[in-house]
Each structure stands twice: as structure tokens, then as C-alpha cells.
Amino acid sequence: MDDTAEHRSSKRPKLSKTVLATIERKRQNAILLRDSRLEHKTMKPVANKPPDDAQVGIHSETKIKEQEHKEDLFDDRIRCSQCNVNCNASYLYVNFSELMCDECREKDKDSYNMISKTDAKNQYVLKDCDFDYREPVLRYVRTVNPHRRGGEMKLYLECQVYERACVVHGGEAGIERAIAEAQQRKESFAQRKLEKRLRGLRDKKERKPKAVHVHEFEEEKCVNEEEDTYSRKCAQCGYVEIYEKL
């Protein structure tokens, strides 16, 4: 069991100090992002009423729309939690709400691995409700299932799954304990199944075959002399056999 636990632990993502710090600062970064958006929106210029000249009015309206478009672009920008640089919305932010730019993600790919839902449930002893109903609901991306033709599979961010497992099981020690208990249940089920199969084989071997009855006939009796018909009766089961002599 210890070897199995060590093997499962080796599969667990090795979170770098940067990722651990990101998890701890996630709430503060979210607050900073919200405050920066609110601060910028308060600086939004108010459009003056255009003059009567139609050409000047069109020109002013175009400037206002361009300004609003720039502000919308600003709302889609994030501050990377690792390099602390404002950047466009990245893959991790759009799909998993992680404040991480694409450049930093490329530098630290091992800390942001993807894992399928089935593997995540097995490795971290989680249930469907831990993914789909426990708040906040874990986000995922859909991709082609290589094991099922025409099927799809859900991919989760493994560091987020690990964080959810810590919440469910109460930290790293709780995860190890849950894995050990799941492995023990699995081994107990396999042992019971094996014992049931062996019991069936023993019962089949010890079961005595049904004896074949062999008739023990009494002396024959003549039934019809003209037709040379005779009969004889089994002394054990009472079976009567009628036959004709040639």
C-alpha cells in the first residue's frame, strides 16, 4: 500500500513556489483587478453634445466610440500574477480564471498541466459533485476523447484539482489518507471477489455426481403366449418392460 501511495504521489503535480504563491494571492489579485477596472471606468470621459454641424457631430461620435472600444479592451486585460505585467486576456485566464499570461505559462508548463476528469477522480479520490456542484465550480475545456470514437472529454487544470482535493480532504495529509483508504477498499473488494470464486470452485468439486440407475429386473412373465409377449419388472423402481421374443 505504501508503494502505491508513493506511486500516486509521484503523479501529483509538483507545484512550484510561484504557483503556491499564486494560490495564496488569488483573492488579493482579484480585488486589485476589480479596483483597477473601477478606477479606469470612473475616468471615462463624458461626451459633449455635438454641435449643429453634421460633419462635426459625426466626427465627435466616432471619437467617443473609439474611446469606448479602448476601454473595453482594457477590461479584457489582466495583470499577470507572476511577472506583474498588464497583458491581454490569456488562455489560462479565459478558460480557468488564472491570472497568468501566456509567456509565463510557456516558461512553467509543468505547474499548469491538464488532467481528465476520470484521472482526477481516481488520483485525488473526488466525486462528480466536487467538480460540478461544490462552489466555486471547477472550469474545464472540452477536447476529443482519444479512447472513444466521436466522443469528448473534459480537461481540468491539475493545480486547481489539487487545490479542490485539499479543500475536500483537509490538506495534503487528508489526500494521502483518502488515497490509502480507497486503495484498501479496492483490495478488499478484489479479495472478496476471489474468495467467492474459490468457494464456487470448491462447491463444484465436492458436489457428488448423480448416480445412474441400473434396472434390476425380476423373472420374466408371459403376457401373451400366442404373440410371444413377455414382461419383466424392476425390483427397485417398479419399471415394467414389455417385449416380444423372436
Side-chain angles (χ1 to χ4, degrees):
M1 187 179 297
D2 295 339
D3 296 339
T4 305
E6 292 178 1
H7 178 66
R8 288 181 177 273
S9 298
S10 62
K11 289 185 177 180
R12 194 165 295 117
K14 297 180 180 179
L15 301 179
S16 63
K17 294 181 179 180
T18 304
V19 177
L20 294 175
T22 302
I23 294 174
E24 294 297 330
R25 299 197 311 265
K26 188 176 292 185
R27 180 173 174 274
Q28 288 78 4
N29 288 335
I31 294 174
L32 290 175
L33 179 63
R34 183 194 62 186
D35 293 342
S36 64
R37 289 179 175 176
L38 291 175
E39 181 181 357
H40 184 79
K41 286 184 177 181
T42 56
M43 298 172 60
K44 182 176 179 180
V46 179
N48 296 324
K49 183 178 179 180
D52 296 335
D53 193 336
Q55 296 296 329
V56 177
I58 295 175
H59 182 68
S60 300
E61 185 178 354
T62 303
K63 280 189 175 182
I64 295 171
K65 289 183 178 180
E66 288 178 355
Q67 182 66 24
E68 292 177 350
H69 179 65
K70 289 180 180 179
E71 291 171 1
D72 292 338
L73 290 177
F74 180 85
D75 290 341
D76 291 336
R77 293 173 67 83
I78 64 170
R79 182 182 295 254
C80 179
S81 60
Q82 185 166 348
C83 63
N84 202 29
V85 174
N86 290 333
C87 60
N88 291 329
S90 63
Y91 176 82
L92 289 179
Y93 179 75
V94 172
N95 294 288
F96 301 102
S97 300
E98 286 287 338
L99 297 175
M100 176 71 65
C101 65
D102 292 330
E103 290 77 8
C104 293
R105 177 195 173 210
E106 289 296 326
K107 296 176 183 178
D108 196 12
K109 283 185 176 181
D110 294 337
S111 298
Y112 294 93
N113 290 329
M114 311 289 277
I115 185 172
S116 66
K117 188 175 185 179
T118 302
D119 292 341
K121 290 168 62 177
N122 293 334
Q123 291 185 24
Y124 296 97
V125 198
L126 296 174
K127 301 178 181 179
D128 287 330
C129 59
D130 297 323
F131 293 84
D132 303 327
Y133 298 103
R134 186 184 290 269
E135 296 292 340
V137 176
L138 290 182
R139 301 182 64 180
Y140 60 88
V141 293
R142 292 183 181 273
T143 185
V144 178
N145 190 341
H147 307 292
R148 183 180 178 183
R149 185 175 181 181
E152 290 185 340
M153 62 188 300
K154 296 179 180 179
L155 293 180
Y156 292 82
L157 200 59
E158 190 164 5
C159 61
Q160 291 185 349
V161 175
Y162 173 76
E163 184 180 354
R164 176 57 52 86
C166 288
V167 173
V168 173
H169 301 299
E172 177 70 22
I175 295 176
E176 295 294 338
R177 187 165 51 251
I179 291 174
E181 292 174 355
Q183 183 65 22
Q184 187 176 2
R185 288 194 299 269
K186 185 177 179 181
E187 291 176 356
S188 299
F189 176 77
Q191 183 66 25
R192 290 196 302 269
K193 188 176 181 180
L194 178 61
E195 291 176 355
K196 182 178 179 181
R197 184 178 180 185
L198 291 176
R199 264 196 319 271
L201 292 175
R202 283 196 298 267
D203 294 343
K204 186 177 181 181
K205 184 178 180 180
E206 294 174 358
R207 193 179 298 120
K208 294 181 180 179
K210 188 177 180 180
V212 179
H213 174 66
V214 179
H215 294 298
E216 295 180 3
F217 293 103
E218 299 175 351
E219 293 183 0
E220 63 181 17
K221 296 179 181 181
C222 181
V223 178
N224 193 328
E225 293 183 356
E226 294 181 357
E227 298 180 356
D228 290 333
T229 304
Y230 295 84
S231 67
R232 57 182 182 177
K233 182 179 179 180
C234 177
Q236 294 183 357
C237 66
Y239 171 73
V240 178
E241 181 183 29
I242 300 176
Y243 56 93
E244 180 180 347
K245 288 186 176 181
L246 297 177

